[in-house]
Amino acid sequence: MSLIETDDAESGESISLHQRILSDIREKILSGAWAPGHRIPFEHELTAEYRCSRMTVNKALSQLAKAGLIERRRRSGSFVRQPQSQAAVLELHDIRIEVEALGLPYRYERLERLRRRSSAEDRALLGLAAAGPVLWLESLHFAGERPFALEQRLINLSAVAEAAEEEFLDIAPGPWLIGRVPWSEAEHRIRAMAADETVADALDIDPGAPCLVVERRTWSAEHPVTHVRFIYPAESHTLVARFTPSQG
Amino acid sequence: MSLIETDDAESGESISLHQRILSDIREKILSGAWAPGHRIPFEHELTAEYRCSRMTVNKALSQLAKAGLIERRRRSGSFVRQPQSQAAVLELHDIRIEVEALGLPYRYERLERLRRRSSAEDRALLGLAAAGPVLWLESLHFAGERPFALEQRLINLSAVAEAAEEEFLDIAPGPWLIGRVPWSEAEHRIRAMAADETVADALDIDPGAPCLVVERRTWSAEHPVTHVRFIYPAESHTLVARFTPSQG
DNA sequence: CGCTCCAATATGTATATACATAATCGCCAT
DNA sequence: ATGGCGATTATGTATATACATATTGGAGCG
């Protein structure tokens, strides 16, 4: 139990009150129950509803505002903002961070791991001139219960020999590579794609449903290191890149 | 000035203390002054340094932790995490240039032009607080014979009054705006979408076909200027962003 | 009628305090 | 030595309070 006894019947959870307010409101917005433009209850009303102090409510609302889900206006209240789909920032390399930024529990699952000599297609993807050993990995990233992204990755074993020893069962290839291999150059390709049967199956969506595909090739000092393809269900994901010409 | 007088000589800024602590620490990390693994000062030390309460420091550190810049461990302190925040900045693209880079003849066609008072939806898209006049434009960009992209644009006439005089029959809104209105901030949202009937009709593709949607909001000195949505048929377009880590 | 100015109101930021929780350090007994 | 256990410590979350700030709506005046 927490500091204060909220004498809810439904509790049993050990999450903080702050987290509960946050996810309650987020759910109302994402489910569409509170449409864009809707005024969400005032802080003092939520204070009464959750029987907590204004600071706690304020912290939750401020967080939602910073996440871009709501907009706060003095003297007027807080309002649901436009986009249904939440933001994952293009700068983030790490899907775990993207998912956790959404306030959802993250889970990683390796589907397949295959060591082989590079095919012509592999070499095209990696930008390799000569044949050599590569590692093929397929994994799923979950946000809560739902698949968040399918990852298909090639690692050039000539550049990262140690990868051959790693099973990638407990750690995703992305975080593993970072820190081990400093990258000197990267290239992103972003496009839309209809889910084929394999992808639809993995992501638990309908075949033909639109997906966002982000492919990244990375080089370390002229040597191709990895090629990775992230496939996101369209409705679950929007890339956001925000920038100012001079300073952030 | 704020609630407390920090009697700094360097101030003059009206930013909150919380913001200052945040950006101070962020800067130390991003500049490399505090390397990954470095233990940043304890909350009570920062409390002394900034002459503020623990809550204020705590809020700033929690925020940095949520952003993934630092890691917090009970009884041990807070530590700098992996730095690699790579900004994948997309260029503000000019469709004419994209098309001509493909070696195809470019053509522009204005479909619709409507001056109106901003609806709630318009204000949400533009990020406007108050109502005011806006200009709605729908245009098609062709590569050779085929539609290359559908453009749907809102211009905030309170910020760019001259736009009301322009018909946009011979010049696309993008090039027109550039140079006339210096932008201070921009935000890209990229996602996949299934073409609805209107879009499918305009782009001459099948309804339900996957499309790449690029939305951009632009501000000029805090004032929302324009919101534009480019819709590309999936098979015709891939965004490419190539970059090297500038530093850190 | 329209303009100014003031009070009311909701959010923004900070304070001081309290207790919970997790991890570590060191003491002590076996 | 060594294994357990309590004290210490840093963070986590919540409280109540205070005052700042921006904006809206209305009263009052020319």
Side-chain angles (χ1 to χ4, degrees):
Chain A
M1 217 17 144
S2 188
L3 290 175
I4 39 118
E5 63 295 321
T6 33
D7 53 49
D8 313 328
E10 89 275 20
S11 81
E13 299 299 298
S14 65
I15 58 163
S16 66
L17 193 55
H18 161 257
Q19 278 299 324
R20 212 184 85 204
I21 299 176
L22 222 147
S23 55
D24 273 15
I25 296 180
R26 175 165 18 230
E27 209 236 89
K28 287 226 174 71
I29 294 174
L30 294 183
S31 72
W34 288 351
H38 179 265
R39 208 211 76 224
I40 77 175
F42 295 127
E43 291 187 354
H44 71 264
E45 294 175 304
L46 293 171
T47 277
E49 184 177 337
Y50 289 95
R51 294 155 159 279
C52 66
S53 77
R54 212 194 107 208
M55 277 304 295
T56 304
V57 169
N58 180 285
K59 214 177 155 191
L61 291 185
S62 302
Q63 202 168 319
L64 284 169
K66 192 143 47 55
L69 264 182
I70 68 173
E71 183 190 337
R72 315 200 70 192
R73 285 203 286 276
R74 280 176 153 132
R75 172 66 217 252
S76 307
S78 303
F79 299 83
V80 178
R81 273 184 65 183
Q82 38 129 13
Q84 285 265 43
S85 46
Q86 233 322 41
V89 179
L90 193 53
E91 325 176 355
L92 295 182
H93 234 219
D94 196 334
I95 293 192
R96 166 188 292 274
I97 294 177
E98 293 184 42
V99 169
E100 287 176 350
L102 295 174
L104 292 169
Y106 171 78
R107 188 164 63 84
Y108 159 78
E109 187 181 324
R110 200 207 69 192
L111 301 180
E112 210 181 313
R113 180 184 182 280
L114 192 61
R115 201 200 155 157
R116 63 174 181 231
R117 260 179 71 83
S118 61
S119 67
E121 196 193 351
D122 293 345
R123 288 197 293 281
L125 286 175
L126 279 168
L128 267 177
V134 297
L135 193 66
W136 161 256
L137 290 164
E138 194 166 47
S139 329
L140 261 181
H141 301 264
F142 289 84
E145 297 298 306
R146 296 199 53 79
F148 183 74
L150 176 64
E151 172 179 345
Q152 300 172 331
R153 188 185 286 265
L154 274 174
I155 300 178
N156 177 14
L157 288 178
S158 309
V160 204
E162 322 132 73
E165 321 299 330
E166 176 64 48
E167 281 296 322
F168 296 106
L169 286 171
D170 298 319
I171 184 170
W176 188 89
L177 280 167
I178 291 174
R180 221 162 294 240
V181 187
W183 59 281
S184 60
E185 197 164 5
E187 183 189 272
H188 275 164
R189 304 185 98 84
I190 302 162
R191 61 180 211 271
M193 186 188 84
D196 62 30
E197 223 163 88
T198 319
V199 169
D201 204 54
L203 290 176
D204 192 21
I205 57 178
D206 295 328
C211 292
L212 187 68
V213 181
V214 178
E215 286 177 293
R216 182 170 52 239
R217 273 202 281 187
T218 316
W219 289 263
S220 181
E222 304 296 308
H223 297 294
V225 172
T226 187
H227 173 277
V228 61
R229 180 185 298 134
F230 293 108
I231 305 175
Y232 303 90
E235 63 280 357
S236 85
H237 202 69
T238 298
L239 287 176
V240 176
R242 193 186 177 108
F243 42 92
T244 53
S246 53
Q247 180 235 47
Chain B
M1 216 21 150
S2 189
L3 290 176
I4 40 125
E5 64 295 321
T6 33
D7 53 51
D8 313 327
E10 88 275 18
S11 81
E13 298 299 299
S14 66
I15 59 162
S16 66
L17 228 176
H18 161 257
Q19 280 300 323
R20 213 183 84 203
I21 298 175
L22 222 148
S23 55
D24 273 15
I25 297 180
R26 190 190 334 257
E27 207 237 90
K28 285 224 175 74
I29 294 175
L30 294 183
S31 72
W34 289 349
H38 178 266
R39 208 212 74 223
I40 78 176
F42 295 128
E43 291 187 355
H44 71 265
E45 294 174 306
L46 293 171
T47 277
E49 184 178 338
Y50 289 95
R51 293 153 160 279
C52 66
S53 78
R54 212 197 106 210
M55 277 302 296
T56 303
V57 169
N58 180 286
K59 214 179 157 190
L61 291 185
S62 301
Q63 203 169 318
L64 285 169
K66 191 144 49 57
L69 265 182
I70 67 173
E71 184 189 337
R72 315 199 70 191
R73 285 203 287 275
R74 278 174 154 138
R75 173 66 218 252
S76 306
S78 303
F79 300 83
V80 178
R81 275 183 65 182
Q82 296 296 344
Q84 96 305 331
S85 93
Q86 48 151 270
V89 175
L90 300 171
E91 309 155 34
L92 297 186
H93 52 278
D94 187 329
I95 295 192
R96 167 188 290 275
I97 295 176
E98 292 182 46
V99 169
E100 288 176 350
L102 294 173
L104 292 169
Y106 171 79
R107 187 162 64 83
Y108 160 78
E109 186 182 325
R110 199 207 69 192
L111 300 181
E112 210 180 314
R113 179 185 183 280
L114 192 62
R115 200 199 156 157
R116 64 174 182 228
R117 260 180 71 83
S118 61
S119 67
E121 196 193 351
D122 294 345
R123 290 197 291 280
L125 286 174
L126 279 168
L128 267 179
V134 297
L135 192 66
W136 160 258
L137 292 162
E138 194 166 46
S139 329
L140 262 180
H141 300 264
F142 289 84
E145 297 299 306
R146 294 199 55 78
F148 183 76
L150 176 64
E151 171 177 345
Q152 299 172 332
R153 186 184 288 265
L154 273 174
I155 300 178
N156 177 14
L157 288 178
S158 310
V160 205
E162 322 132 74
E165 320 300 330
E166 177 63 50
E167 282 297 322
F168 295 107
L169 285 170
D170 299 319
I171 184 171
W176 187 89
L177 279 168
I178 291 176
R180 221 163 291 240
V181 187
W183 62 280
S184 61
E185 195 163 7
E187 184 188 89
H188 273 166
R189 305 185 97 84
I190 302 163
R191 62 179 209 271
M193 185 188 85
D196 61 31
E197 225 163 87
T198 318
V199 170
D201 205 53
L203 291 175
D204 190 23
I205 56 177
D206 295 327
C211 292
L212 186 68
V213 181
V214 178
E215 285 176 293
R216 181 169 59 236
R217 274 203 281 187
T218 317
W219 288 263
S220 181
E222 305 293 308
H223 298 293
V225 172
T226 186
H227 173 278
V228 60
R229 181 186 296 134
F230 295 107
I231 306 175
Y232 303 90
E235 62 280 356
S236 85
H237 202 70
T238 299
L239 286 176
V240 178
R242 191 180 179 112
F243 41 91
T244 54
S246 53
Q247 173 253 58

